[in-house]
Amino acid sequence: MKQKNLVKKLEGIASRLSSINDLSALALNIEKILEEIIDVEHTGFYLWSPELKTLKLFYAKGFSEEERIEAEITAMERHPGKVFRERKIISVPNVLEDTEHTSITSKRSFIIKSRLYLPVMNLDECVGAFGLASTKIDSFSKEHIALLSFVCNLTGVIYRNLISANEIRESEEAMRHVSTRLSLATRAGGVGIWDWDVVNNILVWDEQMYRLYGISADQFSGAYDAWRDGLHPEDSQYGDQEIQLALSGEKEFNTEFRVVWKDNSIHHIQGLAKVQRDSSGRPIRMIGTNWDITERKRVSDQLKRSEDNHRIINNFSTSLLGADNVEEIVWNITHNCISELSLEAASIYLFEPDSDWLIMRATHGRGQDKDDQTLDPVRISLGQGLIGTVAATAKELIVPDVTTDAQSIRDGQSGGSKLAVPIIYEKEVIGVITSDHSQKNFFREHHLDIFLVIADLAANKIMRAISLEKTKKSELKYRNIFESIQDVYAEIDYDTGLIIEVSPSIERFSGYAREEVLGQPLNAFYAPPGPTQELTEALGKHGRVNDVEAILVDKLGLHRAVSFTCSIVTDSSEYPFKIVGTMRDIQLRKQAEVALQQSANIKTNFVSNVSHELRTPMASILGFAGTILRDKNMDEETKMDFIRVINEEAHRLTCLIENVLDISRMEAGSYKLTMEPTQLEHIIHEVIENQTVLANKKNIDIQYDIEKDLPLVFGARDAISQMAVNVLSNAIKFTNPGGSIMVGLSLHDGHIVFDVKDSGLGIPPADLTRIFEKFYRVERAKREDVGTGIGLAIVKEIVDQHQGTVRVESTVGKGTIFRVSLPVLIPSSE
Ligand code: ADP
């Protein structure tokens, strides 16, 4: 081939290849060009794959599919690999002489006689290898090699260019893909993108930005101010500041702000941006994103509010810990409404007990906090005004604007808003908590929420305080009763018999202090056997006992009769665990009983004594009179003696009957004496004379000393005589035979003194004070001194009616003196 032809050929090849702009066209062209240069049985054009790190067949001729695969797999081990690595042409003119060569297919190797391998170069980079195999020995001339080399190198360059172009296209494609995806993603995530040319103040927004700001593109001027105008008035200055800080590089732009839409709705936006600067650091561009965080804000605000509420409620209840009366509680709550909830005013109304009136119990705020007192507190009837309505309906209410609320106008509210929440305890409204604010629409749902909780807290606290106050009152009442009762209240442990409670009155009873008694066994304070056993047995049978008597031994060792009234207290399973009851002092009752018994005995004795006293004289009267009647021949003297005895005995009977009648008159209150000036000497003489007969019988000597010309007394003659008989007859009766009696009548200090002194038995000192009592008699060993016990009682009554006195002095075994003194009659001055 001529040189000129060669050049022409090369030019043709170059122009054909350089117009190629895709890889498949390159492969096709190379195949054709190569065929034009040399016609061989097998060609394989390998290109280096950086990803697979091996040579891949780009174009092949004369290969079966199987051979293609094998060729690629073994390429790097055979000549193509060597050529690629060493970037040198390998020519094998006669394969039989080539020791290195290993054919890909042994069955075919026998027909291949010569081979040629060329590196495919892009400038100094090897991008592949080209192999040719011929069935003829020495098939490849120098010219062939030069042409093929040229084609290979040109292909390398074109291939590289095509690959680069492809890569660019692919990356452009990928970019397009990514940006589509990004925009889809930003749209779905609500992210808006903005791009602000700082130098020319051109702000470009994407579609989503308009959506975020609630405007359409035509409403947007495209300058910085347009963004700023969309912000909430309270945030625009802050927004400016953040942008400036980002531009100056002091702070990254990552902030939150609010935008206000045309419909006045407020939307929270999160903004993030990057500042681009020129080589001198001057900001030229700011690219950023915005997305809506309203929902997130709402949730986090709600969370914060609920945390706040928890904190507030916690503070409310903590500060209520010490408050245990209603007054303290209501004031504490109204105070806290101001300090914890930053309200202007708060009041609490509670129902007055058993009425339909609500009364303001506490109000705080607006200067109402002086001394925690509601002077002249407001009273509201059920159903009246906002508070009355809330109380009546048990439903919380917010009045956003009191000027448009009829009820509030009636309540005299001039402006602002109000809130009222019922205070409910166990489904019953006990009051209302209310707050008002000078601003309209101030109260929101969350105020209501927190007020409901506060009302609940207040209800529980107030009711607990009320019941505590009630308990305290009743406790105080019972404590007072407990401490002031005359009887002793006591509680005794059923099992141990120990005293577990006792009222302080025990000290009056026993001299033991309450503390000395507590914890001691009941029986320790009683004379044996003690009341414990009797009480437990009786209570075991009846559950309750009245009047079990016992003898208390007091601290001084003195005995005192007491009586128990007790009952058993059982626990929830009916098991008795204590005895409660009272102990009463029955000492006086006991004494009265004894006295009553004594007086009953005395009366019985009296009746038998009177019968006896009557029977004796009656017997002798009947005896003597019967004898006189039967003995017709009785001598006169004897008869006279008998009649005298009858007379004496009849006289004694009369006296006795007189006395008995008098005593019954005295008991009936009808014993009245008729007084007149009376001379005593004669009466006393007569009595002595009568009694001497009796005295003589006992051989008792009666002496007397009666003054003469004694003044008169104002008295009753018969009564005075009866008095003297009673005294003198006693003296004879209680003086042994042979004894003596001295009777005196004299004047002393304006009194006539009648005294009777005997040498008789005397009266024991213990009886001295009682001998003037009706029916009282001194018990004596001998029965001979039978009497009725009424003589001295009559003496005392008669003396009393004469304004006189009667005294007795006595020494047992020696004698007795009775002294009666009666005032003398003072003659009138006329
Ligand atoms: P009576 O003499 O019928 O028993 P009285 O009332 O006259 O009743 O006397 C009451 C008691 O006073 C008597 O039981 C007696 O024991 C005592 N008494 C009265 N006078 C004397 C006296 N002169 N000496 C001793 N005892 C007397």
Side-chain angles (χ1 to χ4, degrees), residues 602-775:
I602 284 170
K603 281 197 173 168
T604 317
N605 290 341
F606 167 71
V607 172
S608 90
N609 291 344
V610 169
S611 335
H612 179 84
E613 291 284 293
L614 288 173
R615 210 179 295 126
T616 317
M618 199 57 85
S620 51
I621 289 169
L622 288 173
F624 284 106
T627 309
I628 295 166
L629 285 174
R630 272 190 305 274
D631 190 356
K632 307 279 183 208
N633 304 318
M634 187 181 282
D635 62 282
E636 260 331 282
E637 200 178 341
T638 310
K639 200 188 271 177
M640 279 313 289
D641 279 347
F642 279 24
I643 291 171
R644 210 173 290 120
V645 172
I646 291 171
N647 183 50
E648 277 166 22
E649 290 299 325
H651 198 72
R652 256 177 73 188
L653 261 184
T654 312
C655 282
L656 183 66
I657 290 165
E658 213 49 56
N659 274 348
V660 172
L661 285 174
D662 284 347
I663 206 81
S664 66
R665 277 191 212 112
M666 281 174 202
E667 284 205 315
S670 61
Y671 184 74
K672 289 283 175 305
L673 300 175
T674 317
M675 308 289 204
E676 56 184 355
T678 307
Q679 215 227 19
L680 292 189
E681 293 153 57
H682 186 67
I683 301 171
I684 301 303
H685 268 297
E686 207 175 73
V687 169
I688 292 170
E689 203 181 303
N690 282 335
Q691 293 298 315
T692 302
V693 183
L694 293 169
N696 287 344
K697 280 191 180 164
K698 279 183 83 180
N699 194 25
I700 292 168
D701 179 37
I702 298 182
Q703 303 280 319
Y704 63 88
D705 179 9
I706 295 172
E707 283 182 17
K708 290 209 164 36
D709 303 321
L710 286 168
L712 302 179
V713 297
F714 190 64
R717 189 190 152 79
D718 291 346
I720 290 169
S721 166
Q722 195 183 357
M723 176 275 287
V725 169
N726 285 353
V727 175
L728 193 53
S729 66
N730 273 348
I732 299 164
K733 193 158 69 175
F734 298 105
T735 299
N736 287 330
S740 64
I741 292 169
M742 177 69 202
V743 179
L745 192 70
S746 55
L747 178 69
H748 275 287
D749 294 334
H751 287 78
I752 306 280
V753 176
F754 164 70
D755 49 34
V756 178
K757 182 183 173 189
D758 65 56
S759 63
L761 304 173
I763 302 166
D767 297 303
L768 273 180
T769 51
R770 302 196 60 190
I771 50 172
F772 294 101
E773 287 174 19
K774 275 178 283 186
F775 315 115

Side-chain angles (χ1 to χ4, degrees), residues 8 42 50 140 171 198 220 246 304 333 405 416 461 478 541 556 560 712 748 806:
K8 227 179 170 168
H42 299 284
F140 309 104
S171 81
V198 180
F220 185 64
K304 186 175 171 302
I333 291 174
D405 179 62
K461 267 302 230 184
Y478 286 113
K541 271 188 214 146
L556 298 171
R560 182 189 277 259
L712 302 179
H748 275 287
V806 54

Side-chain angles (χ1 to χ4, degrees), residues 8-21 25-26 28-37 150 154 158:
K8 227 179 170 168
K9 221 172 188 167
L10 287 175
E11 277 176 355
I13 289 168
S15 83
R16 271 165 70 183
L17 286 178
S18 57
S19 66
I20 289 170
N21 50 15
L26 178 67
L28 255 173
N29 274 287
I30 286 171
E31 193 183 354
K32 280 190 183 146
I33 289 165
L34 292 174
E35 275 176 5
E36 283 165 23
I37 293 169
F150 176 76
L154 196 60
I158 291 167

Side-chain angles (χ1 to χ4, degrees), residues 730-731 733-734 758 763 777-778 780 787-789 791-792 816 818:
N730 273 348
K733 193 158 69 175
F734 298 105
D758 65 56
I763 302 166
R777 304 192 66 248
V778 178
R780 293 186 193 274
T788 56
L792 287 179
T816 307
F818 279 89

Side-chain angles (χ1 to χ4, degrees), residues 441-716:
N441 293 314
F442 176 79
F443 293 105
R444 301 273 158 188
E445 202 66 20
H446 71 267
H447 287 113
L448 211 54
D449 289 347
I450 201 150
F451 260 70
L452 284 168
V453 180
I454 293 167
D456 207 35
L457 191 75
N460 280 303
K461 267 302 230 184
I462 289 168
M463 289 316 284
R464 206 170 319 144
I466 288 174
S467 81
L468 197 75
E469 276 168 26
K470 270 192 196 154
T471 316
K472 269 189 189 162
K473 260 188 209 157
S474 78
E475 222 172 58
L476 190 71
K477 195 169 98 189
Y478 286 113
R479 177 56 53 185
N480 284 339
I481 293 172
F482 180 69
E483 280 170 7
S484 63
I485 48 169
Q486 291 298 316
D487 294 349
V488 173
Y489 170 82
E491 294 182 1
I492 290 133
D493 187 283
Y494 188 81
D495 292 326
T496 62
L498 298 180
I499 299 165
I500 49 177
E501 181 57 284
V502 67
S503 60
S505 50
I506 187 67
E507 194 159 359
R508 271 202 307 278
F509 265 68
S510 65
Y512 291 107
R514 180 169 172 267
E515 292 67 32
E516 290 177 283
V517 174
L518 285 177
Q520 298 295 319
L522 181 68
N523 272 353
F525 300 93
Y526 296 87
T532 308
Q533 198 183 347
E534 196 184 340
L535 279 181
T536 348
E537 277 172 12
L539 287 169
K541 271 188 214 146
H542 314 294
R544 187 184 163 83
V545 288
N546 285 321
D547 228 8
V548 168
E549 290 182 12
I551 303 295
L552 177 85
V553 182
D554 74 9
K555 208 173 181 176
L556 298 171
L558 298 176
H559 285 199
R560 182 189 277 259
V562 294
S563 132
F564 289 93
T565 297
C566 302
S567 50
I568 284 183
V569 179
T570 53
D571 61 16
S572 52
S573 53
E574 299 289 301
Y575 180 79
F577 74 99
K578 65 178 178 183
I579 298 169
V580 300
T582 52
M583 182 183 79
R584 173 161 296 181
D585 184 351
I586 54 166
Q587 188 65 27
L588 284 176
R589 191 182 85 189
K590 276 277 155 195
Q591 280 171 358
E593 274 173 13
V594 170
L596 206 67
Q597 190 56 50
Q598 278 174 352
S599 95
N601 290 345
I602 284 170
K603 281 197 173 168
T604 317
N605 290 341
F606 167 71
V607 172
S608 90
N609 291 344
V610 169
S611 335
H612 179 84
E613 291 284 293
L614 288 173
R615 210 179 295 126
T616 317
M618 199 57 85
S620 51
I621 289 169
L622 288 173
F624 284 106
T627 309
I628 295 166
L629 285 174
R630 272 190 305 274
D631 190 356
K632 307 279 183 208
N633 304 318
M634 187 181 282
D635 62 282
E636 260 331 282
E637 200 178 341
T638 310
K639 200 188 271 177
M640 279 313 289
D641 279 347
F642 279 24
I643 291 171
R644 210 173 290 120
V645 172
I646 291 171
N647 183 50
E648 277 166 22
E649 290 299 325
H651 198 72
R652 256 177 73 188
L653 261 184
T654 312
C655 282
L656 183 66
I657 290 165
E658 213 49 56
N659 274 348
V660 172
L661 285 174
D662 284 347
I663 206 81
S664 66
R665 277 191 212 112
M666 281 174 202
E667 284 205 315
S670 61
Y671 184 74
K672 289 283 175 305
L673 300 175
T674 317
M675 308 289 204
E676 56 184 355
T678 307
Q679 215 227 19
L680 292 189
E681 293 153 57
H682 186 67
I683 301 171
I684 301 303
H685 268 297
E686 207 175 73
V687 169
I688 292 170
E689 203 181 303
N690 282 335
Q691 293 298 315
T692 302
V693 183
L694 293 169
N696 287 344
K697 280 191 180 164
K698 279 183 83 180
N699 194 25
I700 292 168
D701 179 37
I702 298 182
Q703 303 280 319
Y704 63 88
D705 179 9
I706 295 172
E707 283 182 17
K708 290 209 164 36
D709 303 321
L710 286 168
L712 302 179
V713 297
F714 190 64

